[in-house]
Amino acid sequence: MTPTQLLIAGQWQPAAAEATRDIICPIDERVIAQAAEADRMDTRRAIAAARHAFDHGPWRETNIRERARLLHRIADLVDRDAEHLAWLESLNTGKTLTESRTDMGDIAATFRYFGALVAGESGAVNEAPHHVISRTLREPVGVCALITPWNYPLLQAAWKIAPALGAGNTVVLKPSELTPLTTLHLARLLGELDLPPGVFNLVTGGAEVGAELAASLDVDLVSFTGGAAAGRHIMKAAADSNFKRVALELGGKNPNIVFADADLDIAVDRALDAAFFHAGQVCSAGSRLLVEDTVHDAFVERLAARMARIAVGSGLEAGTQMGPVQSAAQRARLMAMVEQAVSEGARVLTGGCAPQGESFRHGFWLAPTLVTGVTESMTIAREEIFGPVLAVERFSGETEALRLANGTPYGLAGAVWTRDLARAARMTRAMRFGTVWVNDYHPYFPEAPWGGFKGSGIGRELARIGLDEYTELKHSYINLAPAASGWFGA
């Protein structure tokens, strides 16, 4: 198979060292592609192209209506190739085609939302003396390094690309080395448009690429979605170089809280969505289920019965509800967490191993797993799982539920199930999370901000603030009647 290439200064080219990386399908462990493996020198060339395009090219001066039009055209191209993109996404990540098709619709909606937002941009006129024109302007930050994760490759790329380009920045994008295929296809779609060379650059590779982007003096902003350890390295490198702006989305340990007065049938149904959508490989997954003690046993019994009916299989086949996890390393990590939970006193009620059957001999499979008897001190209650493992804790009353929910270094998302609207309001205000759902789980839309408190990161994506992240504020002061009347005037 022909290795994919890097996109630098408008030209597709191999990595300088001609290194490649095998891209593995998690469904059956086949090599489905080979991606160019960039090194620091390749990354520097991409940064230089973006720097030149920003400093000397026409893009930053492009009329906002033209930038808005471009974002809408990208949305149209995503719609046009949506089925192929969905197939690529499922082949590369293992998620179901239903999930991937939903992602493609959300991606197009993201580009259209930011296109509409950019089209309405204007500066603000400030109150000032009669002989002064004072304006607040928003200008592009400059060269933006965008580093995206393996679980939602194209969706996370869209969340960053749309506001970055819409604000007039130039971009160097590094997709996850595990799942680059849909991002590569999007780069080809951008080639159908009239972007000046160097405005959008794509570099595939591993940690070496990310480290160079974070440390480069020619990068003005780095936006990263991924693990906390990598985020810490990026933040330190940014501080050690040029104090570039940093935006980090670092995952979560998200409580899904069920009170006894909730509609338990619906709560069971949505607890499955919260924990097992995309095999639980979602930063906002509700992998920590807190159930009020008076309904705990009945709720867990219903949950286990429903989990036994989840259709696990290839995401490319109709009827599949949950696919594999993304890699062998990820599966090994998950099974080690389950084993540790058992050693700490928890109980595996169902799952904890690969499903049985010939179709699961190859691939990175883990059956939906339910772990009960979990207490707040256990590792599985404190560390992000990122897989199809649901840990259940019990609580007694609102005060304890709130203490358990907030007792985590993360603060990305959480949910509350109750018919008591006053309780819902109290919990929503008191929970230290960037998103709190009530009687629902997982919905998001471009008009609402996304991001977390505490160890879940810095900054926000989507919404108005998601565009503001990619701009700098400037105060323009014009004195219409200058006079020699300063401190040291005549």
Side-chain angles (χ1 to χ4, degrees):
M1 60 187 68
T2 303
T4 66
Q5 296 186 316
L6 314 176
L7 179 61
I8 300 175
Q11 298 295 318
W12 288 99
Q13 50 197 272
E18 298 186 355
T20 61
R21 177 189 294 267
D22 289 344
I23 305 302
I24 307 298
C25 175
I27 298 169
D28 54 16
E29 303 180 55
R30 285 182 299 129
V31 176
I32 52 175
Q34 288 181 318
E37 183 76 359
D39 59 17
R40 285 183 179 269
M41 191 59 65
D42 295 309
T43 309
R44 287 170 190 157
R45 289 191 294 116
I47 293 169
R51 184 82 265 165
H52 186 272
F54 184 78
D55 291 340
H56 305 291
W59 181 245
R60 64 186 293 189
E61 303 300 333
T62 302
N63 185 281
I64 58 172
R65 288 188 295 275
E66 286 301 305
R67 297 203 301 267
R69 182 179 66 88
L70 177 100
L71 297 184
H72 284 287
R73 289 178 66 193
I74 296 172
D76 292 341
L77 292 173
V78 170
D79 282 342
R80 186 195 73 188
D81 286 10
E83 190 62 21
H84 179 64
L85 283 165
W87 179 81
L88 273 180
E89 198 81 314
S90 290
L91 188 70
N92 201 175
T93 67
K95 68 173 66 176
T96 68
L97 272 172
T98 300
E99 291 171 300
S100 294
R101 287 167 179 149
T102 299
D103 288 350
M104 297 312 129
D106 291 342
I107 289 161
T110 297
F111 279 107
R112 290 195 174 97
Y113 169 75
F114 281 109
L117 201 59
V118 167
E121 280 293 274
S122 63
V125 178
N126 305 317
E127 283 291 328
H130 69 276
H131 63 285
V132 170
I133 298 175
S134 171
R135 295 186 298 161
T136 299
L137 308 174
R138 284 198 175 271
E139 296 187 355
V141 173
V143 175
C144 297
L146 312 179
I147 305 175
T148 54
W150 51 259
N151 60 330
Y152 282 91
L154 196 55
L155 182 65
Q156 288 289 320
W159 285 16
K160 301 179 192 298
I161 295 168
L165 292 183
N169 301 285
T170 58
V171 163
V172 180
L173 175 64
K174 179 204 152 343
S176 166
E177 63 272 25
L178 300 176
T179 56
L181 298 186
T182 48
T183 311
L184 285 159
H185 189 80
L186 179 67
R188 297 186 188 100
L189 295 184
L190 293 180
E192 299 183 29
L193 307 177
D194 50 359
L195 273 176
V199 170
F200 179 86
N201 306 274
L202 175 64
V203 184
T204 51
E208 189 176 355
V209 175
E212 185 64 33
L213 291 170
S216 174
L217 295 173
D218 284 325
V219 171
D220 302 298
L221 176 151
V222 58
S223 177
F224 169 79
T225 300
R232 187 173 291 108
H233 286 304
I234 286 170
M235 194 168 185
K236 185 177 186 300
D240 287 344
S241 57
N242 59 347
F243 290 100
K244 61 176 62 65
R245 185 178 295 186
V246 176
L248 304 173
E249 204 267 81
L250 304 177
K253 188 65 183 176
N254 313 293
N256 187 17
I257 306 168
V258 179
F259 285 96
D261 69 332
D263 184 319
L264 298 184
D265 288 331
I266 296 175
V268 166
D269 184 63
R270 300 313 300 276
L272 298 174
D273 290 345
F276 302 117
F277 193 80
H278 189 14
Q281 299 169 120
V282 185
C283 58
S284 57
S287 63
R288 190 183 183 203
L289 181 63
L290 308 179
V291 183
E292 195 159 18
D293 52 10
T294 56
V295 295
H296 174 277
D297 293 350
F299 193 91
V300 167
E301 184 178 349
R302 290 194 218 181
L303 194 63
R306 291 288 303 279
M307 285 174 59
R309 301 202 300 268
I310 293 175
V312 179
S314 168
L316 303 175
E317 296 177 0
T320 296
Q321 294 174 305
M322 194 189 90
V325 298
Q326 213 289 316
S327 67
Q330 183 69 0
R331 180 178 60 184
R333 175 184 166 277
L334 292 166
M335 294 182 73
M337 287 190 74
V338 171
E339 290 171 7
Q340 183 171 5
V342 172
S343 72
E344 293 175 359
R347 176 190 174 202
V348 176
L349 200 59
T350 183
C353 58
Q356 299 300 306
E358 183 67 22
S359 58
F360 302 112
R361 286 186 59 201
H362 300 286
F364 310 126
W365 300 99
L366 181 62
T369 299
L370 184 60
V371 181
T372 60
V374 175
T375 61
E376 60 185 305
S377 63
M378 294 180 182
T379 304
I380 201 169
R382 294 182 285 105
E383 294 186 5
E384 188 172 31
I385 294 175
F386 225 72
V389 179
L390 179 56
V392 187
E393 300 171 61
R394 64 169 72 223
F395 68 88
S396 177
E398 187 176 320
T399 299
E400 185 179 19
L402 183 61
R403 180 182 63 79
L404 291 173
N406 285 337
T408 167
Y410 295 101
L412 184 58
V416 176
W417 293 85
T418 180
R419 288 186 172 97
D420 185 336
L421 294 182
R423 170 188 283 153
R426 289 192 301 271
M427 292 292 292
T428 300
R429 290 294 300 272
M431 289 172 66
R432 299 281 294 164
F433 295 86
T435 294
V436 179
W437 296 290
V438 175
N439 296 333
D440 211 334
Y441 207 100
H442 273 324
Y444 78 94
F445 33 87
E447 293 81 2
W450 183 261
F453 292 14
K454 301 187 288 185
S456 287
I458 300 170
R460 292 293 184 272
E461 296 188 286
L462 303 177
R464 166 79 237 185
I465 195 171
L467 180 61
D468 292 346
E469 290 275 5
Y470 293 89
T471 65
E472 292 280 15
L473 279 176
K474 175 182 284 185
H475 176 215
S476 170
Y477 177 102
I478 302 174
N479 188 345
L480 301 175
S485 59
W487 291 109
F488 306 103

